[in-house]
Amino acid sequence: MDMSILACLRPASPENWAILWKMPNMTYRLEDRSRLGRMGLAVAALIVASFSAYTPADTAVETTADTTVSLNEWADLVWDAGIDGDVSLMNELIDVPPGSITSPESTAEYRLCVDQWNKTRESSAEFLQSGQDKALESLEAALEKEDLAEALKHAVAYQELIQDFDVALQHDAVREAIERADAAIDDLIESGDLMQAQEILFRLKTAYLDTRKQRAFAGYEDHLEDITNQLKLLRRYDPEDFHELYLRRAEARGDDSTDVRSFNPLLQGRWRDEVSGVRVEMLRSILDTAAREHINSAGWEPLLKGGIDALRTLAQTPMIDDTLEGLSSEEAVEEWVDGLDQIEEGFRAALESNVKPRDLGRQVIDEIASLNSRTIRLPFEVLWREFGDGAMDELDRFSEVIWPYDIEDFNRQMQGEFIGIGVYIEETELGEIRIASPLEGKPADLAGIRSGDVVISVDGVSTTGWTLRDAVREITGPAETKVTIGVRREDSDQDHEFTIVRDMIRMHTVKGWDLEGIDESGNPDWNWFIDSERRIAYIRMTGFDQQTYGDMLQALSQMQTEQGMPEGLILDLRYNPGGLLETAVNISNLFVDEGGIVSGEDRFGQSSFQANARKRRAYLSGTPVVVLINNGSASASEIVAGCLQAHEAAIIVGARSYGKGSVQTVHPVTDTTKLKLTTQYYRLPSPDGITPGRMVHKVPGSTDWGVEPDIKISMTPEQVSQATKVQRYAELQQAPSDWEEEEEGPWVAPEITQLLSEGLDPQLHTALVILQAKSYGEESTIADSR
């Protein structure tokens, strides 16, 4: 496979692969993640089966079909039921108490494992019913307060909990919330409250996603895109008025507006940096490449349409005329918009003639430049950047231009390491840059930076009004250079400054079960075994970067040294947004020793690449594996899960994956500009070697997408929230930034085992009990061999 062009398989948002880890952003940065914003929230009520009496201490158990099988045959039946997706049979078999082979103690230990699992199943049913009741109560309370955005949030949660989105839309309270929210949109836009309009449109769109009412969904999606584009333009070209909008939204939510930082006037001219270096030659090259190479290429027409639409939106976005003075003349703006209409009509007519599309595209760009000079007279760098971004929006949400302003960040994101101080940062709802957690043993930690510190300055420059990207850009820098960070602490009346020497920071994407500490080099020391006695390992991957495969091999080496190679493995790919194609292939090859791993298909339906397994790299072939996925598992994660599923090399547990089965290739435009373009779809391995492998990419209107788990187990919002918090807190060496000591007491890191003992993670617990059953059956094989 030709990897000369970097193949990236990640969702569009750069936040997923931030140089410093970034927490969810404010309302105006809501991303088009479809159901990624929805949690898989409803678990069918599971009835705990009655237990059969213990069998005598021989080598057989009796199944419900009155068929006597040996223990290792029983374990194979459990595994095969999981592979086949027969949940009822698998659960019934797991519940059958195995007979004792090596000792009565082993039977008792297994019985304890199953009892704990059944408690988790019961707990999940209780979480489900409680969640439904709370969602409706919160929905009705929000309607009484006329907080429509909050009401819609709970309406969507109720949809997820009953798992029938169309039925949920018919509930009286849900229908009332939708009708009132829909009626409020126009008034919000007319009053200039674009942020609240955006939030409501986002939630309305989400409510209709994956329902039979796709026309309503499409209408809200288009309207949301218009408002979101206007807010992006407002933030770029008039951040002061954007700040005022944010204040209005904070007041509408009931926040204390005095807590919102005052506007930083230095941000007023940042737009010049964002468009600096953009030239018309870049735009022509970008459009030419996109017209030829995009997977769904329709030539120049959609690109020109998207670019012209973006320029119309630019002229009609309120308030930015303070910055772009040419937009302050109504007459000039009207002439500009009329001229764009004429240019669009002209190129559509010309497409029906024999004019070459490439020549026509260049002609359109020249006409726009001429029109601009006669009317609004905007800087050409502004025109070409907005035209290019609009053209990419017309293609798909994963294609984008990496402009000179963003190129350094993009390059570092591809490497999995960067030069910085070693902190996770987040942007609070009040717009502050806050330290979520310093990385143990890294420069910021050693200097004294704490979780919860609010960054108020970098090298003496105020952070007021900064975005996360601004903070990343200023905090990172060349190795062995100094940066001074000013912070404010809640427990201190004085601000603090720390001068820190930047160093190489590794962002580890391979994590184990329990973090036991940090070594002298600042690297995590993991306990890799979730069940040490049965040598069942747990690996959580948070991404697929250039370091992931090597880290995976190192993890296996550590397991081998400490306890031996695992007898079973849980590979947790939940909320893994993807990464590099080559890394996904290498990880898949660890488990599959022959056959295809993934193939690519170009816009002509022809095979563009075929990645096959190499036997000598399949170090884990034959090892029982359970892969965890959910609707946050995307692209490279779906390659791994789908490949292992196709080869029956693993049981897949969880919820349907995100459905991002496209490949983006990165095309150089200039030394400072790149085009990330969707050029291929990937196919999973053929199930029989004859029929084409399955595509997982979600296209509009499709009902078949993503990787469907063999064993479907959803989680409620409360379970997801609590499980995520336990997992995150268990890895911290000090109190996190959101810890409320007055309410929750002194901070103590939770035990990771709470995920199982408190029934917080039924997906993980099911994976574990499947492997425990498999391991228990293997005992009989060992005993027989003796």
Side-chain angles (χ1 to χ4, degrees):
M1 175 172 48
D2 182 6
M3 300 301 295
S4 59
I5 297 178
L6 178 62
C8 307
L9 298 100
R10 66 186 73 237
S13 170
E15 278 75 15
N16 282 333
W17 286 84
I19 298 167
L20 305 178
W21 182 57
K22 305 172 186 178
M23 299 296 287
N25 218 332
M26 295 185 285
T27 302
Y28 56 82
R29 300 190 75 181
L30 287 171
E31 299 175 52
D32 183 9
R33 291 297 191 83
S34 301
R35 284 288 171 200
L36 191 55
R38 288 183 180 270
M39 301 292 187
L41 303 178
V43 178
L46 298 174
I47 303 173
V48 180
S50 60
F51 299 131
S52 303
Y54 285 1
T55 61
D58 55 19
T59 61
V61 296
E62 188 173 297
T63 69
T64 55
D66 293 329
T67 304
T68 301
V69 297
S70 66
L71 266 177
N72 62 322
E73 289 174 333
W74 164 84
D76 289 341
L77 287 173
V78 171
W79 191 258
D80 291 343
I83 289 288
D84 294 339
D86 193 335
V87 180
S88 297
L89 177 59
M90 187 192 76
N91 290 345
E92 184 178 353
L93 288 167
I94 289 175
D95 271 339
V96 173
S100 174
I101 294 298
T102 57
S103 68
E105 289 78 10
S106 62
T107 300
E109 288 171 0
Y110 176 76
R111 186 71 262 154
L112 179 61
C113 294
V114 173
D115 289 346
Q116 290 175 339
W117 174 58
N118 280 321
K119 288 179 181 178
T120 293
R121 296 163 71 191
E122 290 179 315
S123 176
S124 292
E126 293 170 2
F127 268 116
L128 172 66
Q129 187 58 56
S130 173
Q132 291 176 1
D133 295 340
K134 288 180 180 178
L136 288 177
E137 290 173 8
S138 300
L139 167 57
E140 292 168 353
L143 286 173
E144 287 184 13
K145 295 179 181 179
E146 298 187 355
D147 189 341
L148 299 179
E150 186 73 8
L152 288 173
K153 181 180 76 173
H154 295 299
V156 170
Y158 177 71
Q159 277 185 301
E160 297 287 356
L161 287 161
I162 70 169
Q163 282 293 287
D164 191 324
F165 305 147
D166 288 287
V167 169
L169 289 176
Q170 302 308 311
H171 191 283
D172 290 343
V174 174
R175 190 165 58 240
E176 180 183 356
I178 289 175
E179 290 173 353
R180 288 172 58 179
D182 182 84
I185 293 172
D186 288 343
D187 290 339
L188 288 171
I189 294 173
E190 187 174 345
S191 67
D193 195 350
L194 298 181
M195 286 187 183
Q196 188 169 6
Q198 182 200 41
E199 183 174 356
I200 286 176
L201 282 166
F202 176 80
R203 299 194 187 284
L204 284 170
K205 168 193 155 182
T206 305
Y208 282 99
L209 183 65
D210 292 343
T211 69
R212 289 189 292 271
K213 299 185 177 181
Q214 285 302 291
R215 181 176 296 180
F217 167 77
Y220 288 128
E221 184 176 44
D222 290 343
H223 204 170
L224 173 63
E225 183 178 356
D226 292 340
I227 297 299
T228 299
N229 286 337
Q230 288 192 27
L231 283 169
K232 287 179 181 177
L233 292 170
L234 186 61
R235 181 168 190 170
R236 177 175 295 154
Y237 296 111
D238 193 350
E240 186 170 10
D241 281 329
F242 183 89
H243 185 268
E244 289 299 317
L245 275 183
Y246 183 73
L247 279 174
R248 287 178 60 181
R249 185 71 191 107
E251 291 170 354
R253 287 197 304 261
D255 298 337
D256 187 351
S257 60
T258 60
D259 289 336
V260 180
R261 297 172 297 169
S262 59
F263 176 70
N264 180 358
L266 295 176
L267 296 176
Q268 197 67 48
R270 187 178 58 191
W271 65 272
R272 293 187 177 88
D273 295 330
E274 295 189 36
V275 303
S276 177
V278 177
R279 304 190 307 274
V280 68
E281 293 81 7
M282 293 178 180
L283 178 63
R284 290 191 176 111
S285 176
I286 288 164
L287 298 178
D288 190 37
T289 301
R292 286 185 288 105
E293 303 292 341
H294 189 264
I295 183 68
N296 295 322
S297 175
W300 282 74
E301 182 176 1
L303 299 170
L304 296 176
K305 176 186 180 301
I308 290 174
D309 286 346
L311 295 184
R312 282 198 196 91
T313 301
L314 177 68
Q316 296 169 345
T317 296
M319 295 179 277
I320 64 174
D321 56 335
D322 291 341
T323 301
L324 304 177
E325 296 180 359
L327 300 178
S328 60
S329 168
E330 292 184 8
E331 182 179 347
V333 169
E334 184 177 353
E335 185 178 352
W336 165 256
V337 173
D338 288 343
L340 290 176
D341 292 343
Q342 293 173 15
I343 291 173
E344 184 171 9
E345 290 175 6
F347 89 71
R348 289 188 185 281
L351 283 172
E352 299 177 2
S353 65
N354 294 324
V355 178
K356 293 182 179 180
R358 182 178 182 182
D359 293 339
L360 179 59
R362 292 176 177 272
Q363 179 183 331
V364 166
I365 292 172
D366 291 341
E367 290 178 359
I368 289 173
S370 176
L371 177 65
N372 177 64
S373 297
R374 298 194 310 269
T375 57
I376 56 179
R377 298 182 180 180
L378 297 185
F380 285 109
E381 295 91 342
V382 171
L383 290 185
W384 307 143
R385 167 148 191 169
E386 299 307 332
F387 192 104
D389 287 343
M392 294 303 104
D393 288 343
E394 197 70 17
L395 297 179
D396 68 276
R397 60 177 180 251
F398 303 112
S399 296
E400 63 175 327
V401 181
I402 314 300
W403 298 106
Y405 181 75
D406 304 309
I407 194 68
E408 186 177 344
D409 289 350
F410 178 81
N411 289 337
R412 288 184 296 196
Q413 289 167 21
M414 295 296 102
Q415 297 169 358
E417 57 187 15
F418 66 98
I419 306 297
I421 62 173
V423 289
Y424 293 140
I425 62 173
E426 59 192 355
E427 186 173 353
T428 71
E429 290 190 353
L430 300 177
E432 296 175 322
I433 304 298
R434 184 170 63 187
I435 305 295
S437 174
L439 297 174
E440 185 78 9
K442 301 303 180 184
D445 174 59
L446 298 176
I449 295 288
R450 299 180 189 171
S451 295
D453 285 349
V454 175
V455 179
I456 59 175
S457 66
V458 177
D459 285 335
V461 178
S462 171
T463 61
T464 300
W466 278 17
T467 64
L468 285 172
R469 177 168 288 181
D470 295 327
V472 169
R473 187 181 299 275
E474 298 302 323
I475 292 174
T476 59
E480 300 183 3
T481 59
K482 294 180 180 180
V483 59
T484 300
I485 308 296
V487 303
R488 183 180 71 244
R489 287 181 177 162
E490 289 189 3
D491 60 356
S492 176
D493 295 331
Q494 295 182 337
D495 297 334
H496 303 265
E497 283 194 346
F498 300 89
T499 298
I500 305 170
V501 178
R502 299 180 176 101
D503 198 359
M504 178 67 71
I505 307 296
R506 278 285 315 279
M507 300 297 289
H508 298 278
T509 59
V510 177
K511 301 187 176 186
W513 171 240
D514 189 13
L515 182 62
E516 297 182 331
I518 305 295
D519 66 20
E520 295 179 355
S521 300
N523 295 314
D525 180 16
W526 290 103
N527 170 17
W528 299 100
F529 290 93
I530 188 172
D531 185 336
S532 295
E533 184 174 347
R534 296 168 183 82
R535 294 220 309 273
I536 299 173
Y538 171 89
I539 289 179
R540 178 164 62 98
M541 286 188 180
T542 59
F544 290 81
D545 63 26
Q546 294 176 352
Q547 315 294 331
T548 302
Y549 181 63
D551 287 349
M552 180 71 170
L553 294 181
Q554 184 177 7
L556 295 175
S557 176
Q558 291 174 2
M559 294 180 206
Q560 173 71 31
T561 300
E562 295 170 6
Q563 295 192 42
M565 290 296 282
E567 296 292 334
L569 171 65
I570 297 171
L571 182 60
D572 193 343
L573 299 179
R574 293 175 296 180
Y575 299 109
N576 183 325
L580 300 178
L581 171 60
E582 184 177 21
T583 303
V585 170
N586 288 336
I587 294 296
S588 300
N589 201 163
L590 290 172
F591 306 96
V592 176
D593 61 1
E594 62 179 0
I597 290 177
V598 65
S599 60
E601 188 173 286
D602 64 20
R603 65 193 183 96
F604 302 109
Q606 301 298 313
S607 177
S608 54
F609 71 84
Q610 172 73 45
N612 294 315
R614 301 180 185 180
K615 191 160 190 168
R616 59 187 178 85
R617 292 188 175 185
Y619 306 123
L620 294 173
S621 175
T623 301
V625 178
V626 178
V627 178
L628 298 179
I629 61 171
N630 63 7
N631 55 7
S633 306
S635 73
S637 295
E638 294 172 291
I639 287 179
V640 175
C643 171
L644 269 59
Q645 184 181 56
H647 286 279
E648 298 189 352
I651 295 174
I652 314 300
V653 171
R656 181 161 64 169
S657 63
Y658 178 68
K660 197 271 184 181
S662 58
V663 178
Q664 283 69 50
T665 52
V666 178
H667 304 259
V669 178
T670 68
D671 291 342
T672 60
T673 306
K674 295 179 180 179
L675 173 62
K676 189 173 74 169
L677 195 67
T678 301
T679 56
Q680 304 164 47
Y681 290 135
Y682 66 72
R683 285 190 181 273
L684 298 175
S686 169
D688 55 13
I690 301 173
T691 56
R694 186 168 176 271
M695 279 190 178
V696 301
H697 194 69
K698 182 178 183 181
V699 297
S702 173
T703 58
D704 182 22
W705 45 267
V707 176
E708 286 281 3
D710 301 310
I711 308 299
K712 296 180 182 179
I713 299 176
S714 297
M715 294 174 62
T716 68
E718 188 174 358
Q719 285 175 308
V720 171
S721 175
Q722 292 186 21
T724 301
K725 183 176 289 188
V726 167
Q727 197 162 47
R728 176 190 167 205
Y729 285 4
E731 295 179 12
L732 297 181
Q733 305 297 303
Q734 57 175 288
S737 59
D738 55 355
W739 185 260
E740 299 290 345
E741 186 167 338
E742 293 184 1
E743 298 179 7
E744 304 176 84
W747 185 79
V748 177
E751 296 291 334
I752 192 66
T753 51
Q754 289 177 222
L755 294 175
L756 305 174
S757 62
E758 297 183 10
L760 301 180
D761 195 338
Q763 294 172 344
L764 174 64
H765 210 154
T766 298
L768 176 60
V769 80
I770 290 172
L771 291 171
Q772 286 171 331
K774 183 70 170 172
S775 175
Y776 188 74
E778 294 297 328
E779 291 185 15
S780 66
T781 303
I782 296 172
D784 289 344
S785 67
R786 294 172 181 169

